[in-house]
Coordinates of all heavy atoms in Angstrom, one line a residue:
P1 N 4.6 -6.4 6.9 CA 3.3 -6.0 7.3 C 2.3 -7.2 7.5 O 2.6 -8.2 6.8 CB 2.8 -5.1 6.2 CG 3.6 -5.6 5.1 CD 4.9 -6.1 5.5
A2 N 1.3 -7.2 8.3 CA 0.3 -8.2 8.4 C -0.4 -8.4 7.1 O -0.7 -9.5 6.7 CB -0.6 -7.9 9.6
F3 N -0.7 -7.3 6.4 CA -1.4 -7.2 5.2 C -0.3 -7.1 4.1 O 0.1 -6.0 3.7 CB -2.4 -6.1 5.1 CG -3.5 -6.3 6.1 CD1 -3.4 -5.8 7.4 CD2 -4.6 -7.0 5.7 CE1 -4.5 -5.9 8.3 CE2 -5.7 -7.2 6.6 CZ -5.6 -6.6 7.9
T4 N 0.2 -8.2 3.6 CA 1.2 -8.2 2.6 C 0.8 -7.4 1.3 O -0.3 -7.6 0.8 CB 1.5 -9.7 2.1 OG1 1.9 -10.4 3.3 CG2 2.6 -9.7 1.1
G5 N 1.6 -6.4 1.0 CA 1.3 -5.6 -0.1 C 0.9 -4.2 0.3 O 0.8 -3.3 -0.5
S6 N 0.7 -4.0 1.6 CA 0.3 -2.6 2.1 C 1.5 -1.7 1.9 O 2.7 -2.1 2.2 CB -0.2 -2.7 3.5 OG 0.9 -3.1 4.4
E7 N 1.3 -0.5 1.4 CA 2.4 0.4 1.2 C 1.9 1.9 1.0 O 0.8 2.1 0.7 CB 3.2 0.0 0.0 CG 2.4 0.1 -1.3 CD 3.2 -0.2 -2.6 OE1 4.5 0.0 -2.5 OE2 2.6 -0.5 -3.6
F8 N 2.9 2.8 1.0 CA 2.7 4.2 0.7 C 3.2 4.3 -0.8 O 4.3 3.8 -1.0 CB 3.5 5.1 1.6 CG 3.0 5.1 3.0 CD1 3.6 4.3 3.9 CD2 2.0 5.9 3.4 CE1 3.1 4.3 5.2 CE2 1.5 5.9 4.7 CZ 2.1 5.1 5.6
F9 N 2.5 4.9 -1.7 CA 3.0 5.0 -3.0 C 2.5 6.4 -3.6 O 1.5 7.0 -3.1 CB 2.6 3.9 -3.9 CG 1.1 3.7 -4.1 CD1 0.4 4.2 -5.2 CD2 0.4 2.9 -3.2 CE1 -0.9 4.0 -5.4 CE2 -1.0 2.7 -3.4 CZ -1.6 3.3 -4.5
V10 N 3.2 6.8 -4.7 CA 2.8 8.0 -5.4 C 2.0 7.6 -6.5 O 2.4 6.7 -7.3 CB 4.1 8.8 -5.9 CG1 3.6 10.0 -6.7 CG2 4.9 9.2 -4.7
E11 N 0.9 8.2 -6.7 CA 0.0 7.9 -7.8 C 0.5 8.4 -9.1 O 1.0 9.5 -9.2 CB -1.4 8.5 -7.6 CG -2.1 7.9 -6.4 CD -3.4 8.6 -6.2 OE1 -4.1 9.0 -7.2 OE2 -3.8 8.8 -5.1
N12 N 0.4 7.6 -10.2 CA 0.8 8.1 -11.5 C -0.5 8.7 -12.1 O -1.6 8.5 -11.5 CB 1.4 7.1 -12.4 CG 0.6 5.9 -12.5 OD1 -0.7 5.9 -12.6 ND2 1.2 4.7 -12.6
D13 N -0.5 9.3 -13.3 CA -1.7 9.9 -13.9 C -2.8 8.8 -14.1 O -3.9 9.1 -13.9 CB -1.3 10.6 -15.2 CG -0.5 11.8 -14.9 OD1 -0.6 12.4 -13.8 OD2 0.2 12.3 -15.8
D14 N -2.4 7.6 -14.6 CA -3.4 6.6 -14.9 C -4.1 6.2 -13.6 O -5.3 6.1 -13.6 CB -2.7 5.3 -15.5 CG -2.4 5.5 -16.9 OD1 -2.8 6.5 -17.5 OD2 -1.7 4.6 -17.4
L15 N -3.3 6.0 -12.5 CA -3.9 5.6 -11.3 C -4.8 6.7 -10.7 O -5.9 6.4 -10.2 CB -2.8 5.2 -10.2 CG -3.3 4.6 -8.9 CD1 -4.2 3.4 -9.2 CD2 -2.1 4.2 -8.1
R16 N -4.3 8.0 -10.8 CA -5.1 9.0 -10.3 C -6.5 9.1 -11.0 O -7.5 9.3 -10.4 CB -4.4 10.4 -10.4 CG -5.4 11.5 -10.0 CD -4.7 12.8 -9.5 NE -4.1 12.6 -8.3 CZ -4.7 12.6 -7.1 NH1 -6.0 12.6 -7.0 NH2 -4.0 12.6 -6.0
E17 N -6.4 8.9 -12.4 CA -7.6 9.0 -13.1 C -8.6 7.8 -12.7 O -9.8 8.0 -12.6 CB -7.3 8.9 -14.6 CG -8.6 9.0 -15.5 CD -8.2 9.0 -17.0 OE1 -7.0 9.2 -17.3 OE2 -9.1 8.7 -17.8
R18 N -8.0 6.6 -12.6 CA -8.9 5.4 -12.1 C -9.4 5.7 -10.8 O -10.6 5.5 -10.5 CB -8.0 4.2 -12.0 CG -7.9 3.4 -13.3 CD -7.2 2.1 -13.1 NE -7.3 1.5 -11.8 CZ -6.3 0.9 -11.2 NH1 -5.1 0.7 -11.8 NH2 -6.5 0.4 -10.0
F19 N -8.6 6.3 -9.9 CA -9.1 6.6 -8.5 C -10.2 7.6 -8.5 O -11.2 7.5 -7.8 CB -7.9 7.1 -7.7 CG -7.9 6.8 -6.3 CD1 -7.9 5.6 -5.7 CD2 -7.9 7.9 -5.3 CE1 -7.9 5.3 -4.4 CE2 -8.0 7.7 -4.0 CZ -8.0 6.4 -3.5
E20 N -10.0 8.7 -9.3 CA -11.0 9.7 -9.4 C -12.3 9.2 -10.0 O -13.4 9.5 -9.5 CB -10.5 11.0 -10.2 CG -9.5 11.7 -9.3 CD -8.8 12.9 -10.0 OE1 -9.0 13.0 -11.3 OE2 -8.1 13.6 -9.4
N21 N -12.2 8.4 -11.0 CA -13.4 7.8 -11.6 C -14.1 6.8 -10.6 O -15.3 6.9 -10.5 CB -13.0 6.9 -12.9 CG -12.7 7.8 -14.0 OD1 -13.0 9.0 -14.1 ND2 -11.9 7.2 -15.0
F22 N -13.3 6.1 -9.8 CA -13.9 5.2 -8.8 C -14.7 6.1 -7.8 O -15.9 5.7 -7.5 CB -12.8 4.5 -8.1 CG -13.3 3.7 -6.9 CD1 -14.0 2.6 -7.0 CD2 -12.9 4.2 -5.6 CE1 -14.4 1.9 -5.9 CE2 -13.3 3.5 -4.5 CZ -14.0 2.3 -4.6
F23 N -14.2 7.2 -7.4 CA -14.8 8.0 -6.4 C -16.0 8.7 -6.9 O -17.0 9.1 -6.2 CB -13.9 8.9 -5.7 CG -13.0 8.2 -4.7 CD1 -11.7 8.0 -4.9 CD2 -13.6 7.6 -3.6 CE1 -10.9 7.4 -4.1 CE2 -12.8 6.9 -2.7 CZ -11.4 6.7 -2.9
S24 N -16.0 9.0 -8.2 CA -17.2 9.7 -8.8 C -18.5 8.8 -8.8 O -19.6 9.4 -8.8 CB -16.9 10.1 -10.3 OG -16.9 9.0 -11.1
F25 N -18.3 7.5 -8.6 CA -19.5 6.6 -8.6 C -20.0 6.5 -7.1 O -21.1 6.0 -6.9 CB -19.1 5.2 -9.1 CG -18.9 5.2 -10.6 CD1 -17.6 5.0 -11.0 CD2 -19.9 5.4 -11.4 CE1 -17.4 5.1 -12.4 CE2 -19.7 5.4 -12.8 CZ -18.4 5.2 -13.3
L26 N -19.3 6.9 -6.1 CA -19.7 6.8 -4.8 C -20.8 7.8 -4.5 O -20.7 9.0 -5.0 CB -18.5 7.0 -3.8 CG -17.4 5.9 -3.8 CD1 -16.3 6.2 -2.8 CD2 -18.0 4.5 -3.5
T27 N -21.7 7.5 -3.7 CA -22.7 8.4 -3.2 C -22.5 8.7 -1.8 O -21.8 8.0 -1.1 CB -24.1 7.9 -3.4 OG1 -24.3 6.7 -2.6 CG2 -24.4 7.5 -4.9
N28 N -23.2 9.7 -1.3 CA -23.1 10.0 0.2 C -23.5 8.8 1.0 O -22.9 8.5 2.0 CB -24.0 11.2 0.5 CG -23.4 12.5 0.1 OD1 -22.2 12.5 -0.4 ND2 -24.1 13.6 0.1
K29 N -24.5 8.1 0.5 CA -25.0 6.9 1.2 C -23.8 5.9 1.3 O -23.6 5.2 2.3 CB -26.2 6.3 0.5 CG -26.7 5.1 1.2 CD -28.0 4.6 0.5 CE -28.5 3.4 1.2 NZ -28.4 2.2 0.5
D30 N -23.1 5.7 0.2 CA -22.1 4.7 0.1 C -20.9 5.0 1.1 O -20.3 4.1 1.6 CB -21.5 4.6 -1.3 CG -22.4 3.9 -2.2 OD1 -23.3 3.1 -1.8 OD2 -22.3 4.3 -3.4
R31 N -20.7 6.3 1.3 CA -19.6 6.7 2.2 C -20.0 6.7 3.6 O -19.2 6.8 4.5 CB -19.1 8.1 1.7 CG -18.4 7.9 0.4 CD -17.6 9.0 -0.1 NE -16.4 9.1 0.7 CZ -15.5 10.1 0.3 NH1 -15.8 10.8 -0.7 NH2 -14.5 10.2 1.0
G32 N -21.3 6.6 3.9 CA -21.7 6.3 5.3 C -21.5 7.4 6.2 O -21.4 8.6 5.9
A33 N -21.4 7.0 7.5 CA -21.3 8.0 8.6 C -20.1 8.9 8.5 O -20.1 10.0 9.0 CB -21.3 7.2 9.9
L34 N -19.0 8.4 7.9 CA -17.8 9.2 7.8 C -18.0 10.5 7.0 O -17.5 11.5 7.4 CB -16.6 8.4 7.2 CG -15.3 9.1 7.2 CD1 -14.9 9.6 8.6 CD2 -14.2 8.2 6.6
M35 N -18.8 10.4 6.0 CA -19.1 11.6 5.2 C -19.8 12.6 6.1 O -19.5 13.8 6.0 CB -20.1 11.2 4.0 CG -20.5 12.4 3.2 SD -19.1 13.2 2.5 CE -18.8 12.2 1.1
D36 N -20.7 12.1 6.9 CA -21.4 13.1 7.8 C -20.4 13.8 8.8 O -20.4 15.0 9.0 CB -22.5 12.4 8.6 CG -23.6 11.8 7.8 OD1 -23.8 12.4 6.6 OD2 -24.2 10.8 8.2
K37 N -19.5 13.0 9.3 CA -18.5 13.5 10.2 C -17.6 14.5 9.5 O -17.2 15.6 10.0 CB -17.6 12.4 10.8 CG -18.3 11.6 11.8 CD -17.4 10.5 12.4 CE -18.1 9.6 13.2 NZ -17.3 8.4 13.6
K38 N -17.2 14.2 8.2 CA -16.3 15.1 7.4 C -17.0 16.4 7.2 O -16.4 17.4 7.2 CB -16.0 14.4 6.1 CG -15.1 13.3 6.1 CD -15.1 12.6 4.8 CE -13.7 12.4 4.2 NZ -13.7 11.8 3.0
E39 N -18.3 16.4 6.9 CA -19.0 17.6 6.7 C -19.1 18.5 7.9 O -18.9 19.7 7.9 CB -20.4 17.4 6.2 CG -20.4 16.8 4.8 CD -21.7 16.2 4.3 OE1 -22.7 16.2 5.1 OE2 -21.8 15.8 3.2

């Protein structure tokens, strides 16, 4: 890959918890125009 380290992986419980905590800090403003399109 051009971006060394890019991959598909299965999240373990620790990673899922980190990922969910990370997203809990995001606001609609942080997610920008894509959030509007998603809605």
Side-chain angles (χ1 to χ4, degrees):
F3 295 91
T4 303
S6 64
E7 67 174 335
F8 295 94
F9 62 94
V10 176
E11 296 178 33
N12 60 33
D13 290 338
D14 284 349
L15 186 55
R16 172 153 295 283
E17 185 177 341
R18 272 187 29 220
F19 208 63
E20 287 174 354
N21 288 340
F22 170 71
F23 286 111
S24 71
F25 292 109
L26 294 178
T27 64
N28 287 349
K29 181 177 181 252
D30 291 331
R31 292 195 67 179
L34 185 54
M35 178 61 81
D36 297 333
K37 287 180 190 173
K38 286 169 131 181
E39 289 168 358

